Amino acid sequence: MATSLGSNTYNRQNWEDATKEKYGKECKICARPFTVFRWCPGTRMRFKKTEVCQTCSKMKNVCQTCLLDLEYGLPIQVRDTGVSVKDEIPRSDVNKEYYTQNMEREIANSDGTRPVGQLGKATSSSDMLLKLARTTPYYKRNRPHICSFWVKGECKRGEECPYRHEKPTDPDDPLADQNIKDRYYGINDPVADKLLKRASTMPRLDPPEDKSITTLYIGGLGDNVTDGDLKGHFYQFGEIRTITIVQRQQCAFIQFATRQAAEMAAEKSFNKLIINGRRLTVKWGRSQAARGKDGKDGISEMGIRLDPVPGLPGALPPPPALDDEAPANYFNLDPATSPAIMNIAIPPPPGINPPPPGFGPPMFHPMGPMAPPVPPPITMRPPGTIHYPSQDPQRMGAHAALASHHTE
């Protein structure tokens, strides 16, 4: 008959006695002896043991083995930066002992569900910690160490060797030099520096300088997100004035009654808003003046800068200013030249005989007695009359056609 773990007190007590060593080592932070626990997390894993005492771990709310935060799984330096907590643990032995005794008294008077000290006085969590928090187990932490004999080429155990046969990391890598005290006090931690650099490069949504903007842009709605779904999520941040859905663009604009409600909604929803299984985009709306100005600078209404299309012609130059007193010369004719002067006979093409006398265009000297009257120059004509060469009765070929008509 199987028994439960709670009733099997004998086996549980034997397991604890086999894995713990009472006052086996001194704490690596306060240097006081404490009970050490040692265990193997799984097959082909290295044995793990506690490194600091329970008092030091409770003061920082960290694991006794890996010294990572129990709530977020992050280094202490990252956690303190996120909640704006400054380390106040003294470094000298006398002050450290006095501070530890006071913290033990505070831990004994607490219910054990909340951290103590400055961390227990922190107001709330940070979005940065929620984004960087580890939510899945990290089993690589339990892998065995690298076999130093294999690195030198002297390991003779082969597959039976309990250590890893892998190439070690670069000695110049900052992650290769980690100190447990630096990890505990939150200073010069290379893992924390790496995570903080990652957090600085993460996208963020800064509120606009125009305080009159209280509208948020929600993109990527699709066909299954309605205004009721949006209202069900955003009503918790404050009073909503209007919700406008643009189905063609699959986006919506949510206008809040106050700027404070809009800022809270943007902060809590940016980069983590999922409705009906769709991840939605959250951005700040823009005023009409800023939208028109950005459109001239090559920025779309979505706030995305558009690159110029190669191969397209540039902007055309503005047309020249028209002078009201300038003549209406649409054919670039010389104003000092009469249209009669252009009545010049053109020789026939090669192989074609010229027309007989009397059938060709008359050749008159513009100043001869038989010449038709010369029309006045364009500049001397009365206003409103425009001369077109195609309407000139003396144009080339017009007289010849008239003469042939009379001969018939």
Side-chain angles (χ1 to χ4, degrees):
M1 181 177 179
T3 57
S4 63
L5 182 60
S7 60
N8 194 359
T9 308
Y10 177 78
N11 292 336
R12 183 174 58 184
Q13 186 68 31
N14 292 343
W15 181 85
E16 290 182 355
D17 293 340
T19 57
K20 75 176 183 179
E21 183 180 359
K22 193 172 184 179
Y23 304 113
K25 286 188 176 182
E26 65 178 19
C27 176
K28 294 185 177 180
I29 303 300
C30 63
R32 298 187 303 174
F34 74 104
T35 301
V36 179
F37 285 85
R38 184 175 181 270
W39 72 99
C40 182
T43 307
R44 299 189 65 84
M45 299 287 183
R46 63 185 176 95
F47 276 83
K48 310 278 294 206
K49 67 180 188 307
T50 53
E51 305 290 347
V52 297
C53 63
Q54 287 191 13
T55 303
C56 293
S57 66
K58 290 181 180 179
M59 286 191 302
K60 289 283 190 176
N61 194 32
V62 295
C63 173
Q64 289 184 255
T65 302
C66 60
L67 270 68
L68 296 178
D69 184 74
L70 294 177
E71 184 175 357
Y72 302 104
L74 298 173
I76 297 176
Q77 184 176 349
V78 179
R79 191 268 318 274
D80 293 349
T81 303
V83 297
S84 302
V85 173
K86 187 177 180 181
D87 179 49
E88 59 178 7
I89 298 181
R91 302 294 192 273
S92 62
D93 296 339
V94 178
N95 293 336
K96 187 188 303 182
E97 183 67 23
Y98 177 77
Y99 180 82
T100 304
Q101 291 179 1
N102 293 337
M103 294 304 299
E104 284 183 338
R105 191 179 304 109
E106 184 176 351
I107 292 172
N109 296 332
S110 64
D111 56 357
T113 58
R114 290 183 54 83
V116 296
Q118 289 293 114
L119 185 60
K121 300 177 183 179
T123 56
S124 60
S125 60
S126 171
D127 290 339
M128 180 191 71
L129 299 180
L130 295 176
K131 294 177 182 178
L132 296 178
R134 185 181 297 277
T135 57
T136 57
Y138 186 67
Y139 295 110
K140 290 184 178 181
R141 188 182 296 121
N142 301 329
R143 294 184 303 172
H145 295 289
I146 295 178
C147 180
S148 59
F149 290 92
W150 181 86
V151 173
K152 295 183 294 185
E154 300 178 358
C155 182
K156 301 179 180 179
R157 295 185 179 183
E159 297 181 355
E160 297 179 357
C161 182
Y163 299 97
R164 286 186 296 156
H165 288 182
E166 297 179 5
K167 182 179 179 180
T169 58
D170 187 4
D172 298 332
D173 187 4
L175 298 178
D177 185 16
Q178 302 184 30
N179 191 302
I180 189 171
K181 288 189 176 181
D182 292 342
R183 171 69 59 81
Y184 185 81
Y185 291 114
I187 55 174
N188 301 328
D189 189 356
V191 179
D193 293 338
K194 179 180 178 181
L195 293 175
L196 291 176
K197 289 180 180 179
R198 183 191 304 174
S200 62
T201 58
M202 294 177 64
R204 60 180 184 179
L205 185 63
D206 296 328
E209 297 180 358
D210 189 358
K211 298 297 183 180
S212 63
I213 299 177
T214 59
T215 304
L216 295 181
Y217 165 85
I218 312 298
L221 297 182
D223 299 331
N224 57 346
V225 179
T226 62
D227 55 349
D229 298 331
L230 296 175
K231 186 176 181 180
H233 172 77
F234 286 98
Y235 85 96
Q236 57 182 325
F237 305 113
E239 180 183 354
I240 298 176
R241 183 170 298 172
T242 57
I243 297 179
T244 305
I245 295 181
V246 184
Q247 195 63 35
R248 182 178 180 182
Q249 303 293 338
Q250 294 188 352
C251 64
F253 295 91
I254 302 178
Q255 184 180 12
F256 288 87
T258 61
R259 175 60 179 258
Q260 183 180 2
E263 291 183 358
M264 183 179 299
E267 181 182 358
K268 299 296 183 181
S269 305
F270 175 69
N271 208 22
K272 51 189 174 184
L273 176 59
I274 299 177
I275 298 179
N276 294 341
R278 294 183 63 89
R279 179 176 292 274
L280 306 182
T281 304
V282 179
K283 295 181 180 180
W284 278 98
R286 290 177 295 167
S287 60
Q288 295 292 339
R291 190 180 308 165
K293 180 180 178 181
D294 293 343
K296 296 179 181 179
D297 297 337
I299 301 179
S300 65
E301 295 184 358
M302 303 289 293
I304 303 175
R305 182 171 293 277
L306 304 177
D307 297 332
V309 179
L312 293 181
L316 296 177
L322 297 178
D323 190 1
D324 296 339
E325 299 179 357
N329 187 5
Y330 297 101
F331 295 93
N332 298 326
L333 299 178
D334 188 3
T337 304
S338 173
I341 301 177
M342 298 179 61
N343 194 7
I344 303 174
I346 300 177
I352 300 178
N353 296 326
F359 290 91
M363 297 297 294
F364 299 108
H365 193 274
M367 301 303 293
M370 300 297 295
V374 179
I378 298 178
T379 56
M380 298 179 62
R381 293 180 183 179
T385 60
I386 302 176
H387 173 73
Y388 296 95
S390 60
Q391 300 177 0
D392 188 3
Q394 299 297 330
R395 68 183 187 276
M396 186 181 305
H399 192 275
L402 183 61
S404 61
H405 178 71
H406 286 297
T407 56
E408 293 178 359

